[in-house]
Amino acid sequence: MTPDRPTPNSLPLILVVAADEAVRFDIGQGLTAAHYDVIECDTVTEASSFTLDTRPDLVLIDANLTGAFEWVRALTVACRTPVLVLTLPNGVDQALAAGASDCIVPPLHGALLRARVEFALRCSRAERAVERLTFDGAAQRDDANHHGLLAYDTFVARLEGKLGAARTGKGHVALMYLSVDHEFSAPATVAADARRRAVQITIQRLKDGLRSRDNVSQAEGEEQAAQAALISDHEIAVTFAGLERAQDAYKIARRLQHLLAQAIDIGEHRVRIPTSFGLAAHPEDGERAETLISSARSAMLAARAEGQGTIRFARPEMNQVIFERLSLEADLQHALDRGQLLIHYQPRIAIGTSRIVGVEALLRWKHPQLGLVSPAHFIPIAEESGLILPIGEWVLREACRQNARWRADGLEPISMAVNLSPAQFRETDLVGVVRRALDDAQLPASGLELELTESMLLHKGDSTVKLLENLKALGIGLAIDDFGTGYSSLNYIKRFPIDTLKIDQSFIRDMLTSEQDSTLTTSIVLMGKGLNLTVVAEGVETRSQLSLLRALGCDQAQGFLFSRAVPPEEIAPLVRAGFPDFLGAKPGSSSGLRGILNP
Ligand code: C2E
Ligand code: MG
Ligand code: MG
């Protein structure tokens, strides 16, 4: 059972960790008599579960326990809790090296023990007071420049509020702790001034960076910027709330670090300000604000020890996830130059004629060690790292060239669908990029269709309508991909110049077994037809699905029933032959159909 932390203003809390019950009893008795609150544990595991939430003012631990020194090290770095170690004289050096404040060598003497405990507590309080003083002094000196960052206490209180909300609601809370490294390469004469300026500039950049966080509204960005605190004269903590995954904190930290790493001019000198970042996630790295801050701080110390420009999570397994992602990203950087990216093309069939009317360009990555990596896996990485812009443009240009080649080879004209990422959609000159791709390939605009997702259309309102109208003015087609998984509102579809709806494959997969999915598919087809849109079913795998779609009046189908995405040279024979086997295919099972058509 975890005892609760005594209420504020209560006695100092001492955690006594020893295997020997008699030792625990003696110490406990003595300290309780001297007006301390005491919790006793007999293993390091049990003790560490207490310190996470019930933060003791001091720990007294027997050096003989398994894992004692590792824990002392973690505790003193992460929580800065004073620790007294019970040890024989030959263990003293090791204990002090692990971060112990002091050692107690048996035989235990009651009065002496109490004096050592009291002394260690006083030192710890004094240390914290000095830290606070440094903080207050710095804050006053640079008040104007630090304006907008919270004081430590306010920060902790707000973070505590967010943690409370996170326990009941959705989304992760993470804490970023960053330190402006003092040893950056400014000449000695300007060093002192430079340091101050460096911190000021870092804070300003950080605030700007937090405000302009991608994919957040202005209000959210402002709120984010307001959740930063100055912890010491060169350390800053920032709260991130409402994250989808804890790893997302890494994404933000990385972008901020990149921003902070840009060179600045201090006097006549151009310097770069190195920063180290530590990240901690709730609840894994701490249930409470102060534990989370401590965890993030120790992660920052680990990052700093590894060298400039490092970001570390408090937990090793998170660092492993990030490491794998980073190596994949580093490989992806070269994939384009090294010819590892390919495009395969999946046919899109007119259900009425069973002939190919178009293809969808689907990106493939042949990784030299990992083999074929799925776009579902690497497109998000390309998006996060910004690589999606050159890669996406390459796909667009190559797909246009390929379509023009087929036409030049005498193949009947088909349409080329290209998937667009949100970042491309936000790009300032998307219209120019598309126009150049068409011109350079000498492909008529009617031979290209761009696939967008519903989420891309949600945010910008009128500017999105304008952008889509400009794209349409080029003469290309516009499709909504994965329709039904997002907002799916009739009203908003009407606002945009869309030609095609692609029903998400999840509905097609389950429409014969799930009444809900068949109803949804039916209504999407009817709605699409009502708005004069071409309706495409994605992920068609069986004849029964095809028959049902035909009966509903769905225009086109795409899926493994016809063909997977194949290399470009395999497309021409398929276009010539079509899929006559599927002309007028009879329903394998019509029960679902009857249910829908004759309610
Ligand atoms: P998407 O645009 O919805 O593409 C359809 C995905 O469904 C493709 O997966 C395709 O191979 C798969 N599929 C097609 N027919 C069937 C079927 O009958 N059954 C099943 N189970 N799956 C089927 P793929 O190629 O793995 O691509 C996944 C996603 O990656 C795409 O989804 C698209 O969002 C993204 N993507 C692929 N290429 C690009 C690209 O060049 N640019 C961008 N931005 N995204 C791309
Ligand atoms: Mg698509
Ligand atoms: Mg899709």
Side-chain angles (χ1 to χ4, degrees), residues 1-3 46 50:
M1 200 189 71
T2 310
E46 192 192 4
F50 286 145

Side-chain angles (χ1 to χ4, degrees), residues 360 362 419 451-453 480-483 485 502-505 538-539 558:
E360 177 174 2
L362 291 164
N419 291 284
E451 293 194 2
L452 317 166
T453 56
I480 298 193
D481 200 358
D482 305 337
F483 188 75
T485 54
K502 297 188 79 176
I503 308 173
D504 189 64
Q505 43 180 289
E538 279 196 280
Q558 182 180 336

Side-chain angles (χ1 to χ4, degrees), residues 22-152:
V23 171
R24 286 201 312 271
F25 182 80
D26 279 353
I27 297 177
Q29 281 273 323
L31 293 177
T32 310
H35 304 291
Y36 294 106
D37 270 323
V38 177
I39 296 175
E40 295 173 23
C41 299
D42 56 3
T43 62
V44 168
T45 317
E46 192 192 4
S48 39
S49 74
F50 286 145
T51 42
L52 216 55
D53 282 326
T54 313
R55 294 194 53 192
D57 297 291
L58 182 139
V59 171
L60 215 157
I61 183 169
D62 180 354
N64 283 325
L65 285 169
T66 317
F69 289 128
E70 287 80 358
W71 186 57
V72 169
R73 201 167 286 120
L75 198 63
T76 48
V77 172
C79 306
R80 288 184 271 180
T81 307
V83 179
L84 298 188
V85 175
L86 281 174
T87 178
L88 293 174
N90 60 6
V92 168
D93 285 347
Q94 202 188 349
L96 293 178
S101 322
D102 199 355
C103 292
I104 294 172
V105 178
L108 292 176
H109 184 283
L112 200 57
L113 176 73
R114 289 193 294 277
R116 303 287 275 275
V117 165
E118 189 49 40
F119 183 68
L121 280 172
R122 258 192 241 159
C123 288
S124 159
R125 278 187 217 116
E127 248 173 47
R128 283 173 197 263
V130 169
E131 271 171 28
R132 198 54 65 87
L133 261 178
T134 323
F135 159 70
D136 284 339
Q140 277 158 7
R141 262 201 322 276
D142 296 327
D143 196 23
N145 299 309
H146 292 160
H147 186 73
L149 290 193
L150 303 175
Y152 183 76

Side-chain angles (χ1 to χ4, degrees), residues 74 106 163 197 225 306 333 355 370 411 522 546:
L163 298 181
R197 266 232 3 99
E306 275 184 47
Q333 298 257 9
R355 297 198 60 85
L370 302 173
L411 206 65
T522 311
L546 178 63

Side-chain angles (χ1 to χ4, degrees), residues 532-590:
N532 263 335
L533 302 175
T534 300
V535 182
V536 184
E538 279 196 280
V540 178
E541 294 184 351
T542 67
R543 281 176 179 265
S544 307
Q545 290 166 341
L546 178 63
S547 303
L548 179 48
L549 290 162
R550 175 176 284 128
L552 291 175
C554 182
D555 303 293
Q556 298 178 8
Q558 182 180 336
F560 297 167
L561 176 65
F562 302 99
S563 170
R564 290 176 181 262
V566 294
E569 59 278 11
E570 293 180 32
I571 287 293
L574 293 175
V575 173
R576 292 198 183 96
F579 295 92
D581 286 358
F582 297 116
L583 253 183
K586 295 278 174 294
S589 145
S590 60

